[in-house]
Amino acid sequence: MPYTAAHPPVPSSDELRDRIPGWGADLDHADRPSVPQEIDALAETGAWWDEPERQKENAPRERSIEHERLPAVFGTAQPLHGLSGAIRRYAYARFSEARAAHWLLLIGADRVEAAGAHVHSLVTARPDNPVTQTGIAAEFRHAPVASRTGRVDMRHAWIDPLLVAGPWLAGGLGVFWVARRVLRRR
């Protein structure tokens, strides 16, 4: 059981050596180059508890279905919210961490979060500047051709401008299309 002092019974070194070939090969300190730098993990830690005091869970947290409970301390800086939070909650509630679907849903939630941040930026007084914030301006100042030659990823380098500028162009065209339709109706 994790996070407690109670452990399952541990077999002796001789039992493990008989059962697992090569077990304990590094037990002789003379054969281990890292011995002078090692810290004894079993030394007295000064802890007065078997389990640390648990952090209060003020809002429901996502947790893997493999784990019975959250660790004693966990992060709360970025609470889940919106559609991306719903996708993340679904990924944790429905799929094991060993399944690709779990991770693909989390990646999709990240993309939804990024798209939401871009939309939020557009409605603020200081929207994102795709020319300066994507590094396109720096491409022309700092050897654009020389910096791209000899790279391993040259086979897909042609698509990089489309991936960087494509969403901005699509968004701009969408805004233009909507504005044009609104103006035609008036």
Side-chain angles (χ1 to χ4, degrees):
M1 176 182 238
Y3 313 121
T4 66
H7 294 287
V10 178
S12 71
S13 295
D14 293 329
E15 291 172 343
L16 289 171
R17 196 172 291 112
D18 291 340
R19 189 175 63 191
I20 304 169
W23 189 91
D26 59 350
L27 288 179
D28 183 8
H29 287 266
D31 292 338
R32 295 169 66 187
S34 64
V35 167
Q37 291 86 19
E38 280 185 353
I39 297 171
D40 185 9
L42 301 176
E44 184 61 38
T45 62
W48 62 91
W49 35 258
D50 286 335
E51 180 177 327
E53 183 180 338
R54 301 195 62 76
Q55 178 180 344
K56 290 182 179 157
E57 189 176 347
N58 296 328
R61 293 285 307 184
E62 66 281 1
R63 65 186 64 154
S64 172
I65 59 177
E66 284 99 8
H67 301 291
E68 179 182 327
R69 57 187 176 171
L70 289 171
V73 179
F74 50 87
T76 58
Q78 308 300 329
L80 301 182
H81 61 278
L83 179 59
S84 65
I87 294 170
R88 286 186 178 98
R89 281 187 198 96
Y90 179 73
Y92 277 102
R94 176 70 175 87
F95 296 105
S96 161
E97 290 181 18
R99 303 271 312 272
H102 174 84
W103 298 104
L104 290 172
L105 283 168
L106 293 180
I107 290 170
D110 287 344
R111 296 297 88 218
V112 168
E113 182 81 23
H118 289 308
V119 169
H120 182 266
S121 162
L122 291 174
V123 298
T124 61
R126 297 184 61 147
D128 292 341
N129 183 344
V131 174
T132 59
Q133 292 178 343
T134 58
I136 292 173
E139 286 282 333
F140 299 111
R141 288 195 307 264
H142 301 287
V145 175
S147 66
R148 297 223 176 253
T149 57
R151 289 174 44 175
V152 177
D153 62 351
M154 280 304 294
R155 289 194 341 210
H156 67 76
W158 63 271
I159 201 169
D160 288 348
L162 293 175
L163 293 175
V164 171
W168 290 100
L169 291 174
L173 287 173
V175 168
F176 174 76
W177 182 76
V178 169
R180 196 171 104 191
R181 300 240 1 203
V182 167
L183 290 175
R184 278 188 179 172
R185 288 186 183 202
R186 290 185 181 197

